[in-house]
Amino acid sequence: MRIGDVMKRIYSIILVIFLLVPINVFALKETVTLSKCVDGDTAKFLINGKIYKTRFLAIDTPETKHPKKKEEPFGREASTYTCKKLTTAKKIQLEYEDNNKEDKYGRLLAWVFVDGDLLQAELIEKGYAKVAYIYGDYKYTNLLKLEEKMARVNKRGVWNEEEVRKKANYKEAETFLKKLWKWIEKFL
Protein backbone atom coordinates (compact mmCIF):
# COMPACT_ATOMS: atom_id res chain seq x y z
CA MET A 1 0.00 0.00 0.00
CA ARG A 2 1.17 3.44 -0.82
CA ILE A 3 1.26 6.28 1.69
CA GLY A 4 -1.44 8.15 -0.24
CA ASP A 5 -3.83 5.16 0.06
CA VAL A 6 -3.11 4.87 3.79
CA MET A 7 -3.83 8.57 4.30
CA LYS A 8 -7.11 8.27 2.37
CA ARG A 9 -8.19 5.38 4.59
CA ILE A 10 -7.24 7.31 7.74
CA TYR A 11 -9.23 10.33 6.56
CA SER A 12 -12.18 8.07 5.70
CA ILE A 13 -12.10 6.50 9.16
CA ILE A 14 -11.93 9.91 10.83
CA LEU A 15 -14.85 11.11 8.71
CA VAL A 16 -16.95 8.06 9.66
CA ILE A 17 -16.15 8.62 13.35
CA PHE A 18 -17.25 12.27 13.13
CA LEU A 19 -20.47 11.28 11.41
CA LEU A 20 -21.36 8.44 13.76
CA VAL A 21 -20.17 9.70 17.15
CA PRO A 22 -22.08 12.65 18.59
CA ILE A 23 -19.59 15.39 19.34
CA ASN A 24 -20.45 18.59 21.17
CA VAL A 25 -19.16 20.86 18.42
CA PHE A 26 -22.48 22.64 18.13
CA ALA A 27 -24.15 24.07 21.21
CA LEU A 28 -26.67 21.58 22.53
CA LYS A 29 -29.75 22.68 24.39
CA GLU A 30 -30.46 20.91 27.64
CA THR A 31 -34.10 20.50 28.66
CA VAL A 32 -34.64 21.47 32.32
CA THR A 33 -37.45 21.91 34.85
CA LEU A 34 -38.15 25.13 36.72
CA SER A 35 -37.57 24.81 40.45
CA LYS A 36 -38.04 28.44 41.51
CA CYS A 37 -38.22 31.93 40.05
CA VAL A 38 -35.68 34.25 41.68
CA ASP A 39 -35.92 37.55 39.80
CA GLY A 40 -35.89 38.92 36.26
CA ASP A 41 -32.55 37.44 35.26
CA THR A 42 -32.09 34.49 37.62
CA ALA A 43 -33.96 31.24 38.26
CA LYS A 44 -33.37 27.83 39.79
CA PHE A 45 -33.65 24.80 37.54
CA LEU A 46 -33.70 21.07 38.18
CA ILE A 47 -31.00 19.49 36.03
CA ASN A 48 -30.26 15.77 36.28
CA GLY A 49 -31.76 15.56 39.77
CA LYS A 50 -29.92 18.59 41.18
CA ILE A 51 -31.08 22.20 41.57
CA TYR A 52 -28.85 24.85 39.99
CA LYS A 53 -29.16 28.60 40.44
CA THR A 54 -28.86 29.98 36.92
CA ARG A 55 -28.01 33.52 35.82
CA PHE A 56 -29.26 34.44 32.36
CA LEU A 57 -26.32 35.24 30.07
CA ALA A 58 -25.62 38.71 28.69
CA ILE A 59 -28.46 40.67 30.33
CA ASP A 60 -29.21 42.62 33.47
CA THR A 61 -32.71 43.37 34.72
CA PRO A 62 -33.49 46.05 37.32
CA GLU A 63 -33.07 44.83 40.89
CA THR A 64 -35.89 43.58 43.10
CA LYS A 65 -34.12 41.42 45.68
CA HIS A 66 -30.59 42.82 45.92
CA PRO A 67 -29.42 42.91 49.57
CA LYS A 68 -27.81 46.36 49.18
CA LYS A 69 -30.07 48.08 46.65
CA LYS A 70 -33.65 49.29 46.67
CA GLU A 71 -36.13 47.90 44.19
CA GLU A 72 -35.46 49.58 40.88
CA PRO A 73 -38.03 50.79 38.31
CA PHE A 74 -39.26 47.95 36.09
CA GLY A 75 -37.63 45.35 38.35
CA ARG A 76 -40.98 44.00 39.46
CA GLU A 77 -42.26 43.88 35.87
CA ALA A 78 -39.13 42.03 34.73
CA SER A 79 -39.45 39.51 37.57
CA THR A 80 -43.16 38.99 36.94
CA TYR A 81 -42.63 38.55 33.20
CA THR A 82 -39.80 36.05 33.68
CA CYS A 83 -41.68 34.05 36.29
CA LYS A 84 -44.86 33.92 34.22
CA LYS A 85 -42.96 32.78 31.11
CA LEU A 86 -41.10 30.08 33.05
CA THR A 87 -44.08 28.78 35.06
CA THR A 88 -46.34 28.50 32.01
CA ALA A 89 -43.70 27.06 29.68
CA LYS A 90 -44.23 23.72 28.04
CA LYS A 91 -40.47 23.36 27.49
CA ILE A 92 -37.49 25.15 29.03
CA GLN A 93 -34.04 24.64 27.59
CA LEU A 94 -30.63 25.98 28.58
CA GLU A 95 -27.74 26.52 26.21
CA TYR A 96 -24.23 27.25 27.46
CA GLU A 97 -21.26 29.11 26.05
CA ASP A 98 -18.22 26.84 25.81
CA ASN A 99 -15.86 29.14 27.67
CA ASN A 100 -18.23 30.52 30.29
CA LYS A 101 -20.46 28.05 32.15
CA GLU A 102 -20.32 29.51 35.70
CA ASP A 103 -19.90 32.96 37.22
CA LYS A 104 -17.76 33.89 40.23
CA TYR A 105 -20.70 33.12 42.56
CA GLY A 106 -20.99 29.53 41.29
CA ARG A 107 -24.20 30.15 39.34
CA LEU A 108 -24.68 28.54 35.96
CA LEU A 109 -24.60 31.00 33.08
CA ALA A 110 -26.97 30.10 30.29
CA TRP A 111 -29.10 31.17 27.40
CA VAL A 112 -32.69 30.40 28.41
CA PHE A 113 -35.16 29.19 25.79
CA VAL A 114 -38.85 29.07 26.66
CA ASP A 115 -40.93 27.11 24.19
CA GLY A 116 -38.21 27.71 21.60
CA ASP A 117 -37.88 31.47 22.13
CA LEU A 118 -34.83 33.14 23.69
CA LEU A 119 -36.05 34.66 26.97
CA GLN A 120 -33.20 37.19 27.13
CA ALA A 121 -34.27 38.66 23.76
CA GLU A 122 -37.89 38.95 24.93
CA LEU A 123 -36.88 40.74 28.14
CA ILE A 124 -34.77 43.23 26.20
CA GLU A 125 -37.46 43.75 23.56
CA LYS A 126 -39.97 44.71 26.25
CA GLY A 127 -37.49 47.07 27.92
CA TYR A 128 -37.19 44.92 31.04
CA ALA A 129 -33.45 44.27 30.58
CA LYS A 130 -30.26 45.73 29.16
CA VAL A 131 -27.41 43.98 27.40
CA ALA A 132 -24.70 43.55 30.05
CA TYR A 133 -21.85 41.39 31.32
CA ILE A 134 -20.39 40.55 27.92
CA TYR A 135 -17.07 38.81 28.60
CA GLY A 136 -16.53 37.15 25.28
CA ASP A 137 -17.90 36.56 21.82
CA TYR A 138 -21.29 35.18 22.82
CA LYS A 139 -23.55 33.46 20.33
CA TYR A 140 -26.63 35.71 20.62
CA THR A 141 -25.04 39.08 21.52
CA ASN A 142 -25.79 40.69 18.16
CA LEU A 143 -29.46 39.72 18.41
CA LEU A 144 -29.66 41.19 21.92
CA LYS A 145 -27.97 44.42 20.86
CA LEU A 146 -30.44 44.81 17.98
CA GLU A 147 -33.40 44.23 20.33
CA GLU A 148 -31.93 46.77 22.75
CA LYS A 149 -31.63 49.41 20.01
CA MET A 150 -35.27 48.87 19.09
CA ALA A 151 -36.41 49.10 22.72
CA ARG A 152 -34.36 52.27 23.21
CA VAL A 153 -35.71 53.91 20.03
CA ASN A 154 -39.29 53.00 21.03
CA LYS A 155 -38.69 54.08 24.67
CA ARG A 156 -39.85 50.80 26.16
CA GLY A 157 -39.44 50.02 29.86
CA VAL A 158 -36.05 51.03 31.26
CA TRP A 159 -35.49 53.22 28.19
CA ASN A 160 -38.54 55.39 28.95
CA GLU A 161 -36.99 58.03 31.21
CA GLU A 162 -40.33 59.60 32.13
CA GLU A 163 -41.79 56.26 33.28
CA VAL A 164 -38.59 55.38 35.15
CA ARG A 165 -38.76 58.72 36.98
CA LYS A 166 -42.46 58.24 37.82
CA LYS A 167 -41.85 54.73 39.16
CA ALA A 168 -38.88 55.89 41.23
CA ASN A 169 -40.90 58.79 42.69
CA TYR A 170 -43.88 56.51 43.38
CA LYS A 171 -41.62 54.04 45.21
CA GLU A 172 -40.15 56.81 47.37
CA ALA A 173 -43.62 58.18 48.16
CA GLU A 174 -44.89 54.68 48.99
CA THR A 175 -41.96 54.09 51.37
CA PHE A 176 -42.52 57.48 53.03
CA LEU A 177 -46.25 56.80 53.48
CA LYS A 178 -45.57 53.38 55.04
CA LYS A 179 -43.15 54.91 57.53
CA LEU A 180 -45.59 57.73 58.27
CA TRP A 181 -48.43 55.24 58.84
CA LYS A 182 -46.30 53.22 61.28
CA TRP A 183 -45.50 56.41 63.18
CA ILE A 184 -49.22 57.38 63.31
CA GLU A 185 -50.17 53.87 64.53
CA LYS A 186 -48.04 54.41 67.62
CA PHE A 187 -50.44 57.13 68.75
CA LEU A 188 -53.65 55.32 67.95
Side-chain angles (χ1 to χ4, degrees), residues 52-73:
Y52 291 90
K53 193 170 192 178
T54 305
R55 180 73 164 73
F56 304 172
L57 261 172
I59 67 165
D60 189 32
T61 60
E63 297 298 339
T64 57
K65 298 183 178 185
H66 194 282
K68 296 178 183 175
K69 295 181 181 179
K70 292 190 266 182
E71 184 177 301
E72 296 173 335

Side-chain angles (χ1 to χ4, degrees), residues 22-30 93-96 139:
I23 298 174
N24 192 12
V25 172
F26 305 104
L28 298 176
K29 293 179 186 167
E30 178 175 34
Q93 294 176 298
L94 302 182
E95 184 177 321
Y96 310 100
K139 187 174 183 179

